Amino acid sequence: VGPNKFLAKLATDAAKPDGSKVVTDWRGMLEDMRLRDLPGIGRKLERKLSAHNLVLVRDVWELGDEALGKLSTVLGEGNGAKLLQYCEGKDERSVQPAQRKTIGAECNYGVRFDGLYGVDHMIRGLAEEVEKRMSAVDVHGKKITLKVMKRKENAKNPGKFLGHGSCHHLSKSCDLCQIP
Protein backbone atom coordinates (compact mmCIF):
# COMPACT_ATOMS: atom_id res chain seq x y z
CA VAL A 1 0.00 0.00 0.00
CA GLY A 2 1.39 3.38 -0.95
CA PRO A 3 0.38 6.98 -1.63
CA ASN A 4 0.62 6.46 -5.41
CA LYS A 5 0.71 3.73 -8.03
CA PHE A 6 4.53 3.62 -8.24
CA LEU A 7 5.17 3.29 -4.49
CA ALA A 8 2.31 0.81 -4.09
CA LYS A 9 3.87 -1.37 -6.83
CA LEU A 10 7.27 -1.27 -5.13
CA ALA A 11 5.66 -2.18 -1.80
CA THR A 12 3.83 -5.09 -3.41
CA ASP A 13 7.04 -6.35 -5.00
CA ALA A 14 8.89 -6.08 -1.67
CA ALA A 15 6.16 -8.01 0.14
CA LYS A 16 6.00 -10.95 -2.29
CA PRO A 17 5.11 -13.74 -2.18
CA ASP A 18 2.63 -13.73 0.70
CA GLY A 19 2.80 -10.49 2.59
CA SER A 20 1.75 -6.90 2.40
CA LYS A 21 3.70 -3.74 3.06
CA VAL A 22 2.67 -0.18 3.82
CA VAL A 23 4.94 2.61 2.58
CA THR A 24 5.42 5.09 5.42
CA ASP A 25 8.95 6.28 4.56
CA TRP A 26 9.35 6.48 0.77
CA ARG A 27 12.86 7.99 1.06
CA GLY A 28 14.05 5.09 3.18
CA MET A 29 12.50 2.65 0.74
CA LEU A 30 14.12 4.22 -2.34
CA GLU A 31 17.49 5.34 -0.94
CA ASP A 32 19.50 2.17 -1.60
CA MET A 33 17.36 0.94 -4.49
CA ARG A 34 19.11 0.30 -7.79
CA LEU A 35 17.81 2.41 -10.66
CA ARG A 36 17.50 -0.88 -12.58
CA ASP A 37 14.74 -1.89 -10.17
CA LEU A 38 12.56 1.07 -11.13
CA PRO A 39 9.85 0.62 -13.78
CA GLY A 40 11.04 1.30 -17.32
CA ILE A 41 14.75 0.85 -16.61
CA GLY A 42 16.01 -2.15 -18.54
CA ARG A 43 19.52 -3.34 -19.38
CA LYS A 44 20.16 -0.69 -22.03
CA LEU A 45 19.12 2.25 -19.89
CA GLU A 46 20.98 0.77 -16.93
CA ARG A 47 24.19 0.72 -18.99
CA LYS A 48 23.67 4.35 -20.06
CA LEU A 49 23.08 5.43 -16.47
CA SER A 50 26.01 3.40 -15.12
CA ALA A 51 28.35 5.07 -17.63
CA HIS A 52 27.52 8.33 -15.82
CA ASN A 53 27.95 6.80 -12.32
CA LEU A 54 24.20 6.65 -11.76
CA VAL A 55 23.43 3.28 -10.21
CA LEU A 56 21.29 3.96 -7.13
CA VAL A 57 18.37 6.31 -6.52
CA ARG A 58 20.65 8.05 -4.02
CA ASP A 59 23.02 8.88 -6.91
CA VAL A 60 20.23 10.84 -8.60
CA TRP A 61 19.40 12.63 -5.33
CA GLU A 62 23.03 13.71 -4.99
CA LEU A 63 22.77 15.57 -8.30
CA GLY A 64 20.39 18.04 -6.63
CA ASP A 65 19.13 20.76 -8.98
CA GLU A 66 21.17 19.30 -11.84
CA ALA A 67 19.33 15.96 -11.79
CA LEU A 68 16.74 16.73 -14.47
CA GLY A 69 19.32 18.13 -16.88
CA LYS A 70 21.69 15.20 -16.39
CA LEU A 71 18.96 12.56 -16.72
CA SER A 72 17.54 14.30 -19.79
CA THR A 73 20.97 14.34 -21.41
CA VAL A 74 21.52 10.64 -20.70
CA LEU A 75 18.00 9.27 -21.32
CA GLY A 76 16.13 11.94 -23.27
CA GLU A 77 13.64 14.46 -21.91
CA GLY A 78 10.68 12.14 -21.40
CA ASN A 79 12.55 9.24 -19.79
CA GLY A 80 14.71 11.61 -17.76
CA ALA A 81 11.68 13.43 -16.33
CA LYS A 82 9.88 10.16 -15.57
CA LEU A 83 12.92 8.67 -13.82
CA LEU A 84 13.36 11.80 -11.72
CA GLN A 85 9.69 11.65 -10.70
CA TYR A 86 10.14 8.03 -9.57
CA CYS A 87 13.33 8.92 -7.68
CA GLU A 88 11.30 11.60 -5.86
CA GLY A 89 8.57 9.08 -5.01
CA LYS A 90 6.08 10.80 -7.32
CA ASP A 91 3.64 9.27 -9.76
CA GLU A 92 0.70 11.18 -11.18
CA ARG A 93 -0.88 8.18 -12.95
CA SER A 94 -4.36 7.42 -11.67
CA VAL A 95 -5.31 3.98 -10.48
CA GLN A 96 -8.08 2.52 -12.61
CA PRO A 97 -9.83 -0.64 -11.44
CA ALA A 98 -9.64 -3.38 -14.03
CA GLN A 99 -12.89 -4.22 -15.76
CA ARG A 100 -14.05 -7.69 -14.84
CA LYS A 101 -14.25 -9.92 -17.90
CA THR A 102 -15.08 -13.30 -16.43
CA ILE A 103 -17.20 -14.69 -13.65
CA GLY A 104 -16.83 -18.29 -12.66
CA ALA A 105 -16.81 -20.91 -9.96
CA GLU A 106 -14.68 -23.99 -9.60
CA CYS A 107 -13.91 -26.80 -7.24
CA ASN A 108 -10.88 -28.98 -7.77
CA TYR A 109 -10.00 -30.17 -4.30
CA GLY A 110 -11.51 -33.20 -2.67
CA VAL A 111 -13.90 -34.04 -5.52
CA ARG A 112 -14.64 -37.73 -5.99
CA PHE A 113 -17.54 -38.89 -8.16
CA ASP A 114 -19.21 -42.19 -7.35
CA GLY A 115 -21.74 -42.23 -10.19
CA LEU A 116 -23.74 -39.82 -12.31
CA TYR A 117 -25.62 -38.28 -9.37
CA GLY A 118 -22.33 -36.82 -8.10
CA VAL A 119 -21.54 -35.13 -11.43
CA ASP A 120 -25.07 -33.71 -11.77
CA HIS A 121 -25.03 -32.42 -8.21
CA MET A 122 -21.60 -30.76 -8.67
CA ILE A 123 -22.45 -29.09 -12.02
CA ARG A 124 -25.79 -27.84 -10.69
CA GLY A 125 -24.13 -26.36 -7.59
CA LEU A 126 -21.43 -24.60 -9.63
CA ALA A 127 -24.00 -23.27 -12.12
CA GLU A 128 -26.11 -21.86 -9.29
CA GLU A 129 -23.05 -20.18 -7.79
CA VAL A 130 -22.14 -18.55 -11.11
CA GLU A 131 -25.75 -17.41 -11.56
CA LYS A 132 -25.70 -15.85 -8.09
CA ARG A 133 -22.42 -14.03 -8.81
CA MET A 134 -23.63 -12.75 -12.19
CA SER A 135 -26.93 -11.54 -10.72
CA ALA A 136 -25.06 -9.69 -7.97
CA VAL A 137 -23.26 -7.55 -10.59
CA ASP A 138 -26.17 -7.53 -13.09
CA VAL A 139 -24.40 -9.07 -16.08
CA HIS A 140 -25.34 -11.62 -18.71
CA GLY A 141 -22.97 -14.16 -20.20
CA LYS A 142 -21.94 -14.51 -23.82
CA LYS A 143 -19.93 -17.70 -23.53
CA ILE A 144 -19.72 -20.68 -21.22
CA THR A 145 -16.65 -22.77 -20.58
CA LEU A 146 -16.53 -26.11 -18.83
CA LYS A 147 -13.16 -27.15 -17.47
CA VAL A 148 -12.54 -30.70 -16.34
CA MET A 149 -9.49 -32.35 -14.86
CA LYS A 150 -9.26 -36.03 -15.67
CA ARG A 151 -6.79 -38.09 -13.71
CA LYS A 152 -3.99 -39.45 -15.87
CA GLU A 153 -3.71 -43.19 -16.27
CA ASN A 154 -1.09 -44.70 -13.98
CA ALA A 155 -0.95 -41.46 -11.97
CA LYS A 156 0.41 -41.87 -8.47
CA ASN A 157 -1.73 -41.06 -5.47
CA PRO A 158 -1.81 -37.30 -4.90
CA GLY A 159 0.62 -35.95 -2.33
CA LYS A 160 -2.06 -33.82 -0.65
CA PHE A 161 -5.00 -35.34 1.19
CA LEU A 162 -7.95 -35.20 -1.25
CA GLY A 163 -5.75 -33.48 -3.85
CA HIS A 164 -6.21 -34.17 -7.55
CA GLY A 165 -2.69 -35.30 -8.44
CA SER A 166 -1.49 -35.53 -12.04
CA CYS A 167 -4.36 -34.73 -14.44
CA HIS A 168 -5.22 -33.92 -18.02
CA HIS A 169 -6.79 -30.45 -18.21
CA LEU A 170 -9.71 -30.44 -20.64
CA SER A 171 -11.97 -27.55 -21.56
CA LYS A 172 -14.82 -26.88 -23.93
CA SER A 173 -16.39 -23.50 -24.69
CA CYS A 174 -19.48 -22.45 -26.61
CA ASP A 175 -21.31 -19.19 -27.30
CA LEU A 176 -24.63 -18.63 -25.57
CA CYS A 177 -27.74 -17.37 -27.35
CA GLN A 178 -28.50 -13.81 -26.36
CA ILE A 179 -31.86 -13.72 -24.62
CA PRO A 180 -33.54 -10.27 -24.72
Side-chain angles (χ1 to χ4, degrees):
V1 178
N4 60 48
K5 193 172 185 175
F6 164 66
L7 292 173
K9 168 80 168 103
L10 292 181
T12 300
D13 290 347
K16 285 182 179 178
D18 296 324
S20 63
K21 180 178 175 79
V22 176
V23 177
T24 54
D25 175 21
W26 67 266
R27 288 189 69 83
M29 183 177 181
L30 294 177
E31 182 176 32
D32 293 319
M33 184 171 284
R34 292 177 31 229
L35 294 172
R36 172 72 161 99
D37 295 333
L38 299 179
I41 305 298
R43 290 187 309 260
K44 288 183 179 182
L45 293 185
E46 179 184 33
R47 280 195 297 270
K48 286 182 178 183
L49 291 164
S50 293
H52 294 273
N53 297 317
L54 298 171
V55 177
L56 303 174
V57 170
R58 181 177 351 113
D59 298 333
V60 173
W61 293 349
E62 290 171 359
L63 293 173
D65 292 339
E66 298 173 13
L68 182 58
K70 178 79 168 185
L71 291 173
S72 294
T73 300
V74 174
L75 303 176
E77 283 186 36
N79 283 337
K82 183 167 47 168
L83 179 59
L84 182 58
Q85 291 268 306
Y86 287 160
C87 289
E88 294 173 346
K90 297 176 184 173
D91 186 1
E92 301 301 322
R93 297 175 298 164
S94 63
V95 177
Q96 299 294 327
Q99 182 181 4
R100 186 174 197 160
K101 295 183 179 182
T102 64
I103 295 178
E106 63 180 72
C107 180
N108 61 16
Y109 185 79
V111 178
R112 302 292 184 267
F113 294 127
D114 296 326
L116 293 177
Y117 173 77
V119 173
D120 290 345
H121 180 75
M122 175 64 73
I123 295 294
R124 186 174 294 109
L126 290 172
E128 288 170 358
E129 179 62 27
V130 170
E131 178 186 25
K132 182 174 83 176
R133 293 176 185 183
M134 290 175 73
S135 294
V137 293
D138 194 30
V139 297
H140 300 280
K142 295 178 183 176
K143 184 178 286 236
I144 187 167
T145 302
L146 177 66
K147 297 179 181 180
V148 176
M149 292 190 301
K150 181 180 177 188
R151 188 172 179 153
K152 291 182 178 177
E153 270 188 52
N154 303 323
K156 297 178 182 176
N157 286 334
K160 283 179 156 180
F161 176 70
L162 293 179
H164 56 71
S166 183
C167 294
H168 294 289
H169 295 263
L170 311 167
S171 67
K172 186 72 176 177
S173 295
C174 70
D175 293 327
L176 298 174
C177 297
Q178 295 301 312
I179 301 171

